[in-house]
Amino acid sequence: MSNSNQGPRFVHLSDAHIGHRQYGVKKRRDDMFMSFNTSIYEAVEKSDVDFAVFGGDLFHNKDVNARALSDAEEGLSRFEDAGVPVAAVRGNHDANLYKEDLNWLEYLHSRGKLILLEADLGDEDASFEKHDFDDPGTSSGFVDLNGVRVFGVQYLGQRTSDNLAKVAEAIEQVNEREGEPEATVLIGHFGVEGHIPGMSGGISFNALEPVEEAVDYLALGHLHKKYSHGNWLFNPGSLEAHDTRQARWDLGYFIVDVEDGNIDSEFHKSKRRPFFEISFEVDAHDSPDELESAFAEQVEHSLSNLDKVQQKPHFQRSGENRDPVIDLRLEGLLQFSRSRLDTGELRDIVEEKTGALYVNLNDATESKETASIIQELDGGEDAVRDEQGQIDRGKLESAVFQRLAGQDSQYGEKEEDVAETLSVVKKSVVAGENPESVAETIKKRRRDLFSQGSDQE
């Protein structure tokens, strides 16, 4: 949409995670940039925004490589070429590896690619320094853009709640000193409670009350899910999905109009790669050949639903279907030995029939041998199942090792430590470490656990 109103218009986007090579697949790294770049293009060319606010996590890795930096600068240059300034805050993924180093957002700020906003947090009070376009330094506190005053508070983790009241007070002091703007925006990188089931640690609405009094628009990042509250708090989600759960959510950016102090926001879905889930129950199949045949048939039947997903506009590129990421979940009780289950062949079937970019396999099956072992464990099934009721293989392995250790009286009260040692040794062997190294690990662990015995040898 074009900017036909008389007030300022801005785009609120966040969590680009540039450089994230998901699953180790190069094209997923490219997807992160494409989603970021396309969102910028749409905001500039189709929505005619005056400025942009970015809620953090521009990069995915703290050790930003040259390709990720180049991608970020290319996207930001699209804003720069259109005369659209970008105000941003630092997210948890943007933190530098070493505190004494200039981080990459400070570098981009000093080069005029974006305006990095941070609160100066003292023991008692907070303050915000006005951005100087002629002498930007490495960060600023607030900036006036087209009549809108934009503040930023960097990622603070567990300290966020404790600082929000003094951040709000500092914002009000700036507005009293500088004069009231048409609207006040605060950018922050934190999550709010109640928006993602099972998530703990979000900021409470009680802690946000002072902020609500001080700002007209709270521009959030951090949680990769779109949500809003009360026409003043907005989180657009990430621009790309970073796991299968996120792939089911609306992800994108907000185009926001400000007129006479009123906020009017419109959500736009970002262009991204489609994810598609295939679940297969193994219980009814007595042999590997029978299982693979039934599996291929089910995948074939799922293709029409996959095509419907691929044809959604935000999943397409230049009107063409994009190869999906397939989340393959195997469930149920195997009727034959697990060693005969060829998951590689199942992956190949999916790739051949769907043209998948990547098949993410989640093997939640149980074998008859496993079921028998579970029933004999202390605590039974509850001891080794996760929150979704599936077998947690790490918990199962630990429980089995602890049970084996407990059968030998010489280990006494150290059975948990012995079980941990067995797990470490198993991982070392699977990783292909040389036998001498594994043997040395065993000796060291033995000395640490049974120092008295080793002293007598």
Side-chain angles (χ1 to χ4, degrees), residues 22-324:
Q22 190 180 28
Y23 310 121
V25 177
K26 176 183 176 295
K27 282 192 176 181
R28 286 301 287 152
R29 181 196 67 193
D30 296 342
D31 288 345
M32 305 303 161
F33 169 66
M34 193 206 85
S35 186
F36 178 61
N37 199 40
T38 303
S39 298
I40 295 172
Y41 169 80
E42 291 177 345
V44 169
E45 300 297 332
K46 297 183 179 181
S47 296
D48 193 23
V49 297
D50 298 307
F51 63 92
V53 298
F54 189 86
D57 284 354
L58 177 63
F59 298 107
H60 184 72
N61 300 306
K62 293 179 174 62
D63 52 338
V64 175
N65 61 31
R67 173 62 185 270
L69 181 61
S70 174
D71 284 349
E73 289 190 292
E74 182 177 339
L76 293 171
S77 291
R78 189 182 290 275
F79 275 134
E80 185 179 23
D81 293 344
V84 175
V86 183
V89 297
R90 172 172 54 84
N92 54 305
H93 281 259
D94 297 317
N96 46 333
L97 280 174
Y98 307 103
K99 290 183 179 180
E100 65 270 19
D101 289 347
L102 183 78
N103 70 46
W104 289 112
L105 292 187
E106 291 172 336
Y107 163 79
L108 293 170
H109 174 96
S110 66
R111 293 198 62 202
K113 296 295 184 181
L114 55 75
I115 302 167
L116 178 61
L117 299 178
E118 297 181 331
D120 185 358
L121 300 171
D123 293 335
E124 300 295 331
D125 301 309
S127 62
F128 291 95
E129 180 182 352
K130 188 172 185 177
H131 179 65
D132 186 337
F133 285 92
D134 296 323
D135 184 17
T138 55
S139 67
S140 302
F142 74 93
V143 62
D144 289 338
L145 300 170
N146 293 78
V148 176
R149 184 161 295 147
V150 185
F151 296 82
V153 59
Q154 60 275 31
Y155 175 74
L156 298 172
Q158 297 298 319
R159 298 181 294 130
T160 302
S161 289
D162 296 336
N163 283 282
L164 288 178
K166 62 184 183 182
V167 164
E169 183 178 353
I171 290 172
E172 291 175 337
Q173 290 174 352
V174 169
N175 285 348
E176 289 175 5
R177 183 179 72 245
E178 300 282 335
E180 288 290 334
E182 185 169 352
T184 299
V185 173
L186 173 64
I187 316 173
H189 192 80
F190 56 84
V192 176
E193 66 178 9
H195 291 288
I196 296 183
M199 188 204 80
S200 60
I203 303 303
S204 70
F205 283 100
N206 285 339
L208 285 169
E209 283 183 4
V211 176
E212 184 177 5
E213 294 297 320
V215 309
D216 301 294
Y217 188 101
L218 177 57
L220 292 179
H222 191 45
L223 296 187
H224 292 185
K225 183 180 183 180
K226 171 244 181 183
Y227 62 87
S228 61
H229 178 80
N231 201 42
W232 74 280
L233 181 158
F234 296 86
N235 188 89
S238 56
L239 295 173
E240 248 286 358
H242 294 264
D243 60 40
T244 304
R245 185 188 189 193
Q246 295 176 19
R248 295 192 288 266
W249 298 339
D250 285 342
L251 307 175
Y253 56 90
F254 288 104
I255 298 295
V256 185
D257 285 316
V258 181
E259 190 161 16
D260 298 327
N262 296 316
I263 299 295
D264 182 18
S265 66
E266 182 178 278
F267 182 72
H268 294 248
K269 293 181 179 179
S270 54
K271 300 286 187 181
R272 56 190 174 96
R273 187 175 295 277
F275 279 58
F276 187 76
E277 296 181 57
I278 298 176
S279 295
F280 182 73
E281 296 281 348
V282 303
D283 305 68
H285 312 293
D286 295 325
S287 69
D289 288 343
E290 182 184 333
L291 185 150
E292 289 176 12
S293 177
F295 177 78
E297 185 176 341
Q298 180 170 321
V299 174
E300 187 72 33
H301 288 161
S302 71
L303 295 181
S304 60
N305 288 331
L306 170 60
D307 186 63
K308 291 177 183 177
V309 171
Q310 290 174 294
Q311 289 190 31
K312 293 182 178 180
H314 61 287
F315 288 139
Q316 294 200 320
R317 185 172 189 177
S318 301
E320 299 292 332
N321 287 359
R322 300 177 69 188
D323 296 339

Side-chain angles (χ1 to χ4, degrees), residues 425-453:
V425 170
K426 178 248 183 184
K427 291 176 181 176
S428 298
V429 172
V430 171
E433 292 187 18
N434 65 67
E436 292 80 5
S437 176
V438 175
E440 185 59 36
T441 297
I442 296 173
K443 289 179 182 179
K444 183 179 185 304
R445 290 259 176 171
R446 187 183 178 203
R447 286 194 300 269
D448 291 343
L449 291 176
F450 308 103
S451 55
Q452 290 183 347

